[in-house]
Amino acid sequence: ELVWNWLAGIFALHVVQKLCFPYFWKDVFYLVKVIRYGARLEIFKITSKVVTIIDRFVQQAERIPTKPFLIYEGITYTYQDINERSNKLANVFLEQGTLKKGDSVALLMNNEPDFICVWFGLIKLGCAVAFLNTNIKSRSLLHCFNCCGAKTLVVGADLLDSLEDILPSFLEDNISVWAMKNESSHTEVQTLLDKMDKASDKPTPPALRATTSLKAATLYIFTSGTTGLPKAAVITHLQSLKAAAGFWAYGGSEDDVVYIPLPLYHSAASLIGVGGTIEMGATCVLKKKFSASQFWNDCRKYDVTIFQYIGELCRYLCNQPKGEKKHKVHMGVGNGLRQDVWREFHRRFGEIRMCELYGSTEGNLCFMNHIGKIGAVGRSNFFYKLLFKYDLVRYDMVRDEPVRNSQGFCQHVNKGETGLLLSKIGASSPFFGYAGSKQLTEKKLMRNVFVKGDAYFNTGDLMAEDAEDFICFKDRVGDTFRWKGENVATTEVTEVLGLVDFIQEANVYGVEIPGNEGRAGMAAIIVRPECEFSGKKLFDHVLNDLPGYARPLFIRLQESMEMTGTFKQQKFNLVKSGFNPSTICGPLYFLDFSEKSYVPLTNTLYSSILAGERKL
């Protein structure tokens, strides 16, 4: 009888756990992994012997030399191949004597195997590497050099011509330029490929790359910055090691094949993608550029099991004419997946486990949706909050600042309410800021948040935490505008517009109308190739599905959408250009209640809106 009682008790506990704490065991297993990895980093700190990503790569090259590490355009490169080629590059610079431990070197290359060889080779010399965004124009490029103090640039063969105008400025600033070519028509540009062919593939002295501190800078990654000049986020060994644990934390293993279609100059592809592949001892497939039409063919051809996504990549796949369920892909890791696209993706391509991550390149906080709940960017619990100190605080959309009480301190939001996400800066979660700008670093900090003297990293993101401790992204602070006394979240409006059958893509933002408070909604849209724009149909849709204040007053048709390097929609230029038909190329429409349709926005109509003659 005692046994039966004992079994009944266990069964009852199991039922209670399933009903009241359905995610208990998943949370426990995930947390154990986080603590295990954290303990490893603590040992590095205590012993002052840091095993960096490059150390880990060299270990893997010795352990599994003939295993494929990288597949690019059908060619396979083993761990040994990449290790030896990166040694060659390191030895070229070692023989030249131009670089020393601690120097910064800028790297301007598209996705290709030599991006990784140059990156690893420079780190083997003890240099910090600055990844330059290949979309950056000349004025911004010089700014990037000033930020990170680099005096050497390694440039891809296909990008050298784009530097023609700026080469004289590099020479003036004593910046030496090395091209991944055998020969160059520019006398001031030195070549690397010919020298690498002759160089030794023997390892450089390990002491050159050795570091005793997790807080030493290893990379500078430039944030895509939808406004203004790019900012160089300082990436330390601590951050790169944390990022490399992403796939492993989600259950990835050495048997996985990771598909990386994102640009390597951003942290998702380099730190999480390449770093994660090294950590697991797996294989990665690198794509020069993402292609929706080639995606599933590649996945089948290379037996891909994990793919990386960011921003709108999954939506591009959903826009393809046919679904595809014959593949071995079981996991997607990334961020920015909208709920509607998430569901459609599952419907079209099977129940692939989509693992959302949240964390900015320079941030000191990371959320992971290890449960896979649709619409959540992460999950928290009592223990997680002990390890990572973060808070959601009330935010005033009118003043565009956090709400402070009579004592001048911020106020916590209630469960389920939207608030600004702040992450406490401390020994376990330091903030390393931006290179070359104390001012920009300070701008991201909030001080005296809850008590005098405390400091928090301001993510600039509005989030909400529900009753089950799932964390949902609501909007960027700058992406939320106010109209008719209400807050309009651009992501929500974008999702609703995405349901209209003729709309392929929508980008929602707020524009100022003289004489009106706040900003009126405007949407730039791309019409599907086989469809036509219907002002009547769109009017009916927004009337039914959106509250009055959230309906876009203006529609702008575009052939293509301006994007940042990480597939995030650019809003800055759209906001700046406003809704003036005489300065904007392409059709514009206005929400006209008398016509019950979106009607063409003419110069006469535009003038009457500015004159306040139209009811908005």
Side-chain angles (χ1 to χ4, degrees), residues 336-367:
L337 186 56
R338 294 201 325 244
Q339 288 191 44
D340 56 336
V341 178
W342 198 325
R343 290 191 176 92
E344 175 69 1
F345 194 85
H346 275 168
R347 191 184 68 77
R348 297 275 300 274
F349 309 115
E351 290 291 316
I352 296 167
R353 182 181 169 212
M354 304 304 280
C355 302
E356 278 274 301
L357 286 165
Y358 169 80
S360 59
T361 302
E362 70 276 36
N364 65 337
L365 175 72
C366 175
F367 290 129

Side-chain angles (χ1 to χ4, degrees), residues 362-604:
E362 70 276 36
N364 65 337
L365 175 72
C366 175
F367 290 129
M368 295 174 83
N369 179 1
H370 60 276
I371 303 293
K373 178 170 177 175
I374 291 178
V377 296
R379 177 163 169 73
S380 187
N381 53 49
F382 173 74
F383 299 107
Y384 194 85
K385 283 172 186 165
L386 289 178
L387 293 170
F388 305 98
K389 312 279 189 210
Y390 70 89
D391 283 281
L392 295 175
V393 299
R394 293 191 190 286
Y395 195 81
D396 185 329
M397 299 307 303
V398 182
R399 295 183 173 173
D400 206 15
E401 64 186 25
V403 175
R404 293 192 180 253
N405 62 19
S406 54
Q407 283 91 43
F409 297 126
C410 291
Q411 299 171 299
H412 296 276
V413 297
N414 297 320
K415 258 290 205 258
E417 286 183 352
T418 298
L420 178 68
L421 176 67
L422 305 178
S423 173
K424 192 166 189 182
I425 295 165
S428 61
S429 53
F431 171 56
F432 298 103
Y434 304 104
S437 178
K438 280 185 178 168
Q439 194 184 354
L440 282 174
T441 300
E442 193 57 39
K443 219 171 161 185
K444 290 298 282 187
L445 301 184
M446 273 179 62
R447 300 186 184 277
N448 308 322
V449 175
F450 298 114
V451 293
K452 270 265 183 278
D454 65 6
Y456 281 74
F457 171 71
N458 179 3
T459 64
D461 290 323
L462 296 172
M463 314 282 261
E465 196 170 324
D466 68 15
E468 289 187 306
D469 292 325
F470 284 102
I471 295 152
C472 299
F473 174 79
K474 291 297 180 183
D475 229 317
R476 286 289 297 161
V477 165
D479 287 353
T480 305
F481 58 88
R482 199 168 173 85
W483 182 245
K484 295 187 182 294
E486 296 284 351
N487 300 328
V488 181
T490 58
T491 44
E492 289 173 21
V493 180
T494 303
E495 284 194 25
V496 170
L497 293 181
L499 301 171
V500 180
D501 60 7
F502 63 80
I503 294 179
Q504 180 173 305
E505 191 169 348
N507 188 355
V508 178
Y509 50 99
V511 289
E512 290 182 332
I513 302 176
N516 289 269
E517 289 84 33
R519 291 173 181 268
M522 184 163 180
I525 66 169
I526 297 173
V527 176
R528 289 186 186 277
E530 68 276 14
C531 300
E532 277 182 9
F533 176 81
S534 165
K536 177 81 178 75
K537 192 184 276 188
L538 183 58
F539 177 92
D540 291 342
H541 184 76
V542 300
L543 197 72
N544 292 330
D545 291 2
L546 286 171
Y549 62 83
R551 294 170 193 147
L553 291 193
F554 307 103
I555 298 292
R556 176 178 178 174
L557 300 192
Q558 291 190 303
E559 295 286 318
S560 62
M561 210 64 83
E562 203 180 342
M563 294 282 178
T564 67
T566 52
F567 302 106
K568 288 176 185 166
Q569 292 176 329
Q570 283 272 22
K571 295 183 193 285
F572 183 65
N573 292 331
L574 289 170
V575 171
K576 212 163 68 172
S577 56
F579 59 100
N580 185 347
S582 59
T583 58
I584 291 172
C585 299
L588 291 172
Y589 295 87
F590 173 67
L591 180 69
D592 191 329
F593 271 86
S594 60
E595 295 287 337
K596 293 188 169 39
S597 179
Y598 277 91
V599 298
L601 180 59
T602 60
N603 284 318
T604 311

Side-chain angles (χ1 to χ4, degrees), residues 12 64 116 163 190 202 216 238 279 282 286 318 414 590 604:
I64 42 172
I116 296 169
L163 296 179
Q190 301 183 72
K202 294 288 174 279
L238 177 68
E279 178 58 39
L286 181 66
C318 288
N414 297 320
F590 173 67
T604 311

Side-chain angles (χ1 to χ4, degrees), residues 103-357:
D103 284 352
S104 295
V105 180
L107 175 57
L108 181 69
M109 287 176 82
N110 284 310
N111 282 14
E112 58 176 283
D114 271 345
F115 183 112
I116 296 169
C117 296
V118 174
W119 165 21
F120 289 5
L122 292 169
I123 301 284
K124 285 176 178 180
L125 293 172
C127 295
V129 185
F131 292 167
L132 299 181
N133 186 323
T134 54
N135 300 308
I136 290 176
K137 299 293 179 280
S138 53
R139 181 179 70 95
S140 299
L141 265 181
L142 285 173
H143 159 80
C144 293
F145 275 84
N146 295 335
C147 282
C148 59
K151 287 294 177 190
T152 304
L153 168 68
V154 178
V155 60
D158 55 340
L159 291 172
L160 183 59
D161 290 343
S162 68
L163 296 179
E164 200 141 355
D165 303 343
I166 202 176
L167 280 175
S169 305
F170 282 155
L171 293 174
E172 277 173 39
D173 290 354
N174 294 319
I175 293 167
S176 60
V177 180
W178 294 74
M180 296 302 284
K181 298 180 84 166
N182 283 307
E183 51 188 35
S184 170
S185 54
H186 303 278
T187 50
E188 63 273 43
V189 174
Q190 301 183 72
T191 53
L192 264 171
L193 288 186
D194 54 326
K195 295 174 183 65
M196 283 171 71
D197 286 344
K198 296 170 192 160
S200 162
D201 61 11
K202 294 288 174 279
T204 51
L208 282 175
R209 68 171 190 267
T211 181
T212 55
S213 173
L214 280 168
K215 294 181 182 179
T218 178
L219 296 172
Y220 298 102
I221 293 183
F222 289 85
T223 57
S224 50
T226 43
T227 61
L229 291 165
K231 297 176 294 203
V234 178
I235 306 298
T236 63
H237 290 293
L238 177 68
Q239 287 154 297
S240 60
L241 285 164
K242 280 181 180 176
F247 295 147
W248 172 80
Y250 277 131
S253 75
E254 63 183 357
D255 299 323
D256 280 308
V257 177
V258 180
Y259 191 78
I260 306 175
L262 308 173
L264 285 169
Y265 56 71
H266 273 303
S267 53
S270 51
L271 300 185
I272 298 171
V274 175
T277 302
I278 293 166
E279 178 58 39
M280 297 186 296
T283 301
C284 65
V285 178
L286 181 66
K287 194 78 179 159
K288 183 161 190 169
K289 228 175 183 174
F290 168 71
S291 163
S293 59
Q294 293 169 21
F295 182 88
W296 293 111
N297 289 337
D298 284 346
C299 288
R300 278 194 304 273
K301 184 178 177 182
Y302 302 116
D303 291 330
V304 170
T305 56
I306 297 174
F307 77 97
Q308 279 195 288
Y309 66 86
I310 198 164
E312 309 291 43
L313 192 144
C314 294
R315 189 165 48 75
Y316 297 151
L317 292 173
C318 288
N319 282 338
Q320 289 298 293
K322 61 180 176 52
E324 181 60 71
K325 291 187 179 178
K326 288 182 181 172
H327 55 75
K328 292 181 181 176
V329 178
H330 64 81
M331 190 194 300
V333 177
N335 68 304
L337 186 56
R338 294 201 325 244
Q339 288 191 44
D340 56 336
V341 178
W342 198 325
R343 290 191 176 92
E344 175 69 1
F345 194 85
H346 275 168
R347 191 184 68 77
R348 297 275 300 274
F349 309 115
E351 290 291 316
I352 296 167
R353 182 181 169 212
M354 304 304 280
C355 302
E356 278 274 301
L357 286 165

